[in-house]
Amino acid sequence: MTAVNIGVPRRAPRPDTSGRPTDPHLLDRFGRVATDLRVSVTEKCSLRCTYCMPEEGLPAIPRTLLLTPAEIGRLVGIAARDLGVREVRFTGGEPLLRADLAEILAATRDAAPGLPMALTTNGVGLDKRLPALLAAGLGRVNISLDTVDREHFARLTRRDRLPAVLAGIEAARAAGLTPLKVNAVLMRETLDDAPDLLAWALDAGVQLRFIEQMPLDADGVWSRETLVDAAELLAVLGRRFELLPVGRDDPHAPAEEWRVRTRGTTAPATATVGLIASVTRSFCVECDRTRLTAEGSVRSCLFSDDETALAPLLRGGADDAAIADAWRTAMWGKQAGHGMDEAGFLRPIRSMGAIGG
């Protein structure tokens, strides 16, 4: 068994804020404003996807370091009330492994009434947890599913749990959670499954989005040479489907969209498929995200290990204004982009599972 480090982020140096406008929002030096908050609630996961988790899982974050539901609620309340955040999504690891997830949602709802709350999950166990989550205010879910071939799913995730994921998707559909989005990471070993996955999504009435694999795997084996990029996926899908480009309705949306019609049919192409080409078609210039790790640190970019810890302020008696100011300062120092095309690019120390998706 190989030892895996969850990653020790750098404490972000305080950026020079002398030129920062007097603006309450999460503004950075490049004029971007973060309005979309991602909150990781755990590093634990029920699957072991090769593009994210090591086989043995990530080292556990001590429970005392994890934010409590009340602390999460307070931070999201500050973000919504004082910083201009307009939506929040809870991630992991796998957020369903937090036994108190419904409490987290309820605390967030109470602190930020009316703020849309979403969840990114692998779907395992969602059918059992969904009633309590809906009662606590959950409004939307994104579910990860890379293939509908059970053998390939088990190999990629190191767990034979495809029926459980499909049960979670069906529960979300039955509950009327729309739009219901399904995310699939593009991997060489499941590329040939992509047309079947799209056909399944069209039949199921869910919005499928393919995502280029990013260098955020805990095993550190990602390479540009083996990357399945957007162009290759479109070529594979194009053998079975007509794809009519739509683009992005919202410039901040990460997914480009195509209308889809099965070749040989004449029905209107009303359904769509999305593609998040983070590596080859970077959308960093329009990024509107800010992130909180499970330990309560601001991470302004997936690809920067500089983090600003808010937990000590929370637990040290700081008022909301001081916490908001620290958050604004952290976001002012956000980097221009992920830098994967630069010669000196270094992959982040933390993997996706330790950062939060």
Side-chain angles (χ1 to χ4, degrees):
M1 181 178 293
T2 303
V4 176
N5 195 322
I6 197 169
V8 180
R10 299 182 294 266
R11 184 176 295 277
R14 182 179 176 87
D16 180 5
T17 58
S18 56
R20 189 184 190 280
T22 303
D23 189 312
H25 299 101
L26 293 173
L27 180 70
D28 70 32
R29 292 170 295 168
F30 304 96
R32 298 168 298 192
V33 178
T35 58
D36 182 348
L37 171 59
R38 304 298 170 98
V39 180
S40 174
V41 297
T42 183
E43 84 297 342
K44 295 180 175 60
C45 191
S46 47
L47 301 179
R48 296 290 184 271
C49 300
T50 57
Y51 53 79
C52 179
M53 286 276 182
E55 187 169 5
E56 62 273 25
L58 293 171
I61 298 173
R63 189 171 182 82
T64 55
L65 295 184
L66 289 173
L67 294 180
T68 67
E71 290 170 335
I72 293 172
R74 184 182 173 195
L75 285 176
V76 179
I78 292 170
R81 183 186 63 248
D82 301 329
L83 300 173
V85 162
R86 296 199 292 264
E87 58 183 318
V88 60
R89 175 175 298 278
F90 296 100
T91 71
E94 173 47 55
L96 293 176
L97 292 187
R98 278 286 293 252
D100 57 357
L101 181 58
E103 295 175 51
I104 291 171
L105 293 173
T108 299
R109 177 195 59 202
D110 293 344
L115 185 72
M117 293 191 295
L119 187 72
T120 292
T121 172
N122 62 31
V124 176
L126 180 62
D127 52 327
K128 300 174 180 63
R129 301 288 301 278
L130 194 54
L133 301 179
L134 292 172
L138 179 66
R140 196 162 62 83
V141 294
N142 284 9
I143 300 176
S144 300
L145 177 63
D146 304 308
T147 176
V148 286
D149 182 296
R150 186 166 179 174
E151 180 181 345
H152 294 173
F153 179 95
R155 190 180 307 139
L156 186 68
T157 67
R158 304 183 178 110
R159 299 290 188 273
D160 183 16
R161 303 303 303 277
L162 178 59
V165 176
L166 295 176
I169 292 171
E170 181 54 37
R173 286 181 58 205
L177 289 176
T178 56
L180 179 53
K181 295 181 180 180
V182 170
N183 296 334
V185 175
L186 281 169
M187 299 294 288
R188 183 66 52 190
E189 53 265 49
T190 53
L191 177 60
D192 288 341
D193 297 344
D196 286 340
L197 181 59
L198 178 53
W200 167 85
L202 296 175
D203 288 342
V206 301
Q207 293 184 10
L208 178 62
R209 304 188 305 176
F210 290 97
I211 305 173
E212 287 183 342
Q213 185 198 9
M214 294 177 281
L216 294 166
D217 57 308
D219 291 329
V221 298
W222 180 93
S223 98
R224 191 70 177 254
E225 289 68 34
T226 60
L227 174 75
V228 179
D229 63 21
E232 188 170 1
L233 171 71
L234 293 172
V236 169
L237 294 179
R239 298 170 194 159
R240 185 164 167 185
F241 301 97
E242 291 182 62
L243 302 172
L244 311 174
V246 176
R248 291 185 176 93
D249 289 337
D250 178 355
H252 300 295
E256 297 177 69
E257 292 193 339
W258 282 259
R259 294 201 180 278
V260 181
R261 178 169 52 214
T262 302
R263 289 196 177 278
T265 65
T266 56
T270 56
T272 61
V273 63
L275 176 56
I276 301 175
S278 307
V279 178
T280 63
R281 302 185 185 189
S282 169
F283 42 87
C284 296
V285 69
E286 297 290 352
C287 181
D288 66 346
R289 293 182 183 174
T290 182
R291 301 174 186 274
L292 287 175
T293 69
E295 308 100 313
S297 293
V298 175
R299 193 174 179 105
S300 60
C301 175
L302 272 175
F303 290 89
S304 170
D305 280 311
D306 288 342
E307 294 182 3
T308 299
L310 299 185
L313 297 175
L314 274 175
R315 297 173 178 181
D319 62 17
D320 290 358
I323 293 170
D325 183 64
W327 201 332
R328 290 187 195 100
T329 300
M331 293 303 295
W332 180 249
K334 183 174 181 172
Q335 61 193 47
H338 55 52
M340 274 186 266
D341 291 326
E342 297 174 9
F345 172 73
L346 295 175
R347 56 178 295 144
I349 298 170
R350 286 195 186 228
S351 67
M352 179 66 88
I355 296 169

